[in-house]
Amino acid sequence: MTPARPWRWWSASGRRSGRTPVMRDIASVAEIRAAEEATMAAEPGGPDRGTSDLMLRAAEALAQLVWQELAGRPEPRVLLLVGPGNNGGDGLWAAQRLLQRGVRVSCWRTAPDVHAEGWAAATEAGLTEIDAAEAIAALPSIDLAIDAVFGIGARPGLPDPVATWAAAASDIGTPVVAVDLPSGLAADRVSADAPHVRAAITVTFGAAKLCHLAQPAASACGRLEVVDLDLGLPPAQVRAVEPHDVAVRWPVPGPLDDKYRRGVVGIDAGSSSYPGAGILATTGALYAGAGMVRFLGPEQAAQAISLRMPSVTIGPGRVQAMLLGSGWGDRADARERIEAALELDVPLVLDADALRSLPASGLENCLLTPHAGELAALLDIGRTDVTADPIAAVRRAVDRTGATVLLKGATQYVAGPGGDGDDRRVDLAVPGPAWTGQAGSGDTLAGMAATLLAGGLTPRWAALAAASMQAMTAARNPGPWPPDEIAARVPDTVAWLVDQAPATARLSNQTQ
């Protein structure tokens, strides 16, 4: 299969762009269904046609991608799995086009009723029908398989014969191209605990779906290809950040910027029990580009910081943003310390132990950075409630606290109290490798976010840019690097990324 491509700049519709913010829209099943129905209703013959122009356009795009993947292979062989819905119709019409190009295509009908016109067209073009046992036996000899069993409206899981085939294909390593989504996943869910197909490539239509970009489901989707069918989708309520979005918003100092204009960060983190948290948070803040860092934590951590990071100032003073809570432990004065910081009227990052002592109000200019367990405790719900529906959980946290919330994890979600005319939007940070799932990563991330707040970014973009930058740095430095080493490599990633975004593309740091 074609290897994964490097970072790609996308527009909201899925087109690449070189100079503008390009967050990728994530559409729900309901939004896609409504847009498809409206598009088909406007076609000649209306929605009652057996094969719509929309299906034919989707099939042509699917066939073209498969054809590209087969390039250079003599007498290529493809196995098509077809289910009962329009997803199967897309696969059958794509098979017809591949057959016309000389590809040998065999097909297992996983359901008795499939798209009638698509089946007729494909069989007329030379499609060979096989059964379940033959579909499994064919796996070692085919070039790739097309999964067109279930589409975006399906529930999680697979019937037994298809689940057996999916497990065999995964074991053998047969590359699978999934139509819309790997069968067994649910488009609007992040889970992947039911039997499902594992795809090398997923070709979806109109916009990405949540399962494509949120873990653990995203790991089953492989490389994502979005085909823009001009469906006229509404403004997205969930979006995914792309590297270019970070590049055009990252605070880059100008010739007149001194340390105060770049931003002074106050770090109140660590304790006698957890001094490392203060060191890690300060490391994150410093290497993210703070003009100045003031460390306000315990003496044990302050001594280590003075030796390792001599540019850090120890003790209080003027700041443009603060971080509180990382490694505090059971601090008796936690609530009073947070309330005193709020009186400074600067943006705050409230992390870890500070989340257990939040004031009832006044958090509108704050960024909360919980992981799933901390968010569950904040909302008084189970951890599995958060992991099963992180979108709902992070929105609920915003409603309860009035703050911006960054939910940390394999996929990182950010929601805020508004400011851009949409209080319900949730954004996904750029993903990174699983290597970052280790103790201390959250501390360095909190420090990075505090630097970006001090540099003028809004809480939403401070969260998104910090989480994305940490992830991209880890991706550029694969392996089990500890979080302080990843933080130390952030400047290289910043320079690399910012160099790709022309100055003319830069946005105000206050852009939502």
Side-chain angles (χ1 to χ4, degrees), residues 110-378:
T110 66
D113 297 320
V114 298
H115 191 275
E117 292 184 6
W119 179 257
T123 53
E124 183 179 349
L127 185 74
T128 302
E129 184 176 7
I130 61 176
D131 60 21
E134 292 170 321
I136 293 175
L139 285 171
S141 60
I142 61 172
D143 292 295
L144 62 81
I146 299 175
D147 165 26
V149 179
F150 295 131
I152 61 173
R155 299 175 182 176
L158 296 170
D160 287 340
V162 182
T164 301
W165 181 91
S170 180
D171 290 342
I172 293 173
T174 301
V176 177
V177 176
V179 183
D180 248 339
L181 79 175
S183 295
L185 299 182
D188 291 343
R189 299 189 188 183
V190 304
S191 60
D193 46 5
H196 59 274
V197 172
R198 296 190 67 86
I201 303 172
T202 296
V203 183
T204 197
F205 308 104
K209 320 305 184 291
L210 184 62
C211 72
H212 297 143
L213 299 176
Q215 296 291 359
S219 291
C221 296
R223 190 180 90 224
L224 179 64
E225 297 286 347
V226 179
V227 178
D228 182 8
L229 296 177
D230 295 320
L231 294 179
L233 290 162
Q237 294 298 297
V238 183
R239 304 184 306 182
V241 169
E242 292 288 325
H244 188 64
D245 298 301
V246 179
V248 299
R249 290 178 173 88
W250 195 271
V252 176
L256 301 180
D257 288 341
D258 58 21
K259 60 187 177 184
Y260 296 109
R261 289 175 63 89
R262 287 181 61 178
V264 181
V265 182
I267 306 288
D268 187 348
S271 62
S272 58
S273 299
Y274 308 106
I279 299 169
L280 290 167
T282 303
T283 302
L286 186 64
Y287 284 106
M292 179 179 178
V293 178
R294 297 185 186 275
F295 184 71
L296 310 172
E299 178 63 24
Q300 184 179 357
Q303 292 177 359
I305 288 169
S306 295
L307 292 174
R308 295 180 54 179
M309 294 169 275
S311 65
V312 174
T313 298
I314 307 299
R318 186 176 69 172
V319 297
Q320 276 82 46
M322 290 186 67
L323 162 62
L324 298 92
S326 306
W328 271 3
D330 294 324
R331 182 168 174 168
D333 67 341
R335 176 70 62 84
E336 291 78 11
R337 181 69 185 98
I338 295 171
E339 290 175 342
L342 287 170
E343 292 179 0
L344 298 175
D345 196 27
V346 298
L348 307 180
V349 177
L350 301 177
D351 183 46
D353 298 312
L355 299 172
R356 294 183 285 133
S357 302
L358 296 177
S361 61
L363 300 176
E364 294 78 11
N365 202 24
C366 296
L367 169 62
L368 314 184
T369 55
H371 55 57
E374 291 165 339
L375 186 57
L378 179 64

Side-chain angles (χ1 to χ4, degrees), residues 3-16:
R5 298 186 178 113
W7 302 120
R8 302 168 65 180
W9 310 144
W10 295 78
S11 70
S13 65
R15 301 186 184 96
R16 297 182 207 182

